[in-house]
């Protein structure tokens, strides 16, 4: 048998598996009414003006209950339920998806403000939806061990990327595990977004174990 054929056979026997992946979900929100986005933007700006805030606002933690944000909240719950199916979670019904917090955030160029690296506790999923674009959100590799020795790469892919930039495109959002560290650098234009945390009702932990919990 020719050497080339033998090598090709061996190459065909190699199997690749991706272990411990981190699921990032990007989604669009269907705008049902022409004034839906302007209403949400104007509401966030009003809150900012009321509190005389130049940079970031992260209050009014339940804006999902506000009339202008209810449709978006429904989209977020739907996306979270789809993520549950993808991840094989038992709590995969939209009825099990609860928005724990949902708040508005605004960054302005003249504030020199940023969102420092952080995670979101007490939530299964977290995410952000963009009302007005600005700087990217940057998701960081959660495995500190990989930084010990980094071979030089020819092309960036999901196996060697140290962080991932997601553009802040109005009308789109992303969702990811709440434990994933992320940050937002200084913006060159006004950036308005809605952030949220998701909790799932149902069973947690292995049945019969000390970690078993029902929420």
């Amino acid at each position: 048998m020719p050497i080339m054929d033998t090598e090709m056979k061996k190459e065909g026997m190699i199997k690749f598996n991706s272990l411990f992946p981190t699921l990032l979900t990007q989604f669009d929100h269907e705008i049902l009414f022409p004034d839906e986005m302007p209403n949400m933007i104007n509401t966030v700006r009003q809150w900012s003006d009321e509190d005389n805030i130049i940079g970031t606002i992260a209050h009014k933690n339940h804006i999902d209950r506000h009339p202008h944000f209810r449709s978006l909240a429904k989209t977020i719950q739907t996306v979270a339920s789809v993520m549950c199916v993808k991840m094989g979670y038992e709590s995969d019904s939209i009825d099990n998806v609860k928005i724990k917090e949902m708040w508005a955030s605004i960054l302005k160029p003249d504030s020199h403000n940023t969102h420092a690296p952080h995670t979101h506790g007490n939530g299964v999923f977290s995410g952000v939806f963009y009302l007005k674009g600005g700087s990217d959100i940057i998701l960081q590799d959660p495995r500190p061990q990989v930084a010990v020795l980094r071979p030089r790469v020819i092309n960036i892919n999901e196996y060697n990327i140290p962080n991932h930039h997601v553009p802040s495109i109005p009308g789109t959002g992303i969702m990811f595990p709440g434990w994933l560290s992320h940050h937002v650098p200084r913006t060159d234009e006004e950036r308005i977004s809605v952030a949220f945390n998701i909790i799932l009702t149902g069973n947690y932990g292995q049945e019969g174990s000390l970690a078993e919990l029902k929420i």
Side-chain angles (χ1 to χ4, degrees), residues 48-63:
S48 178
D49 291 340
E50 287 174 353
D51 294 342
N52 194 28
I53 293 174
I54 299 175
T56 306
I57 58 173
H59 66 305
K60 302 184 186 297
N61 286 347
H62 295 289
I63 65 171

Side-chain angles (χ1 to χ4, degrees), residues 160-181:
N160 59 45
I161 189 170
N163 51 58
H164 181 61
H165 291 239
V166 182
S168 54
I169 302 173
T172 70
I174 61 172
M175 197 177 298
F176 48 84
W179 47 257
L180 184 63
S181 181

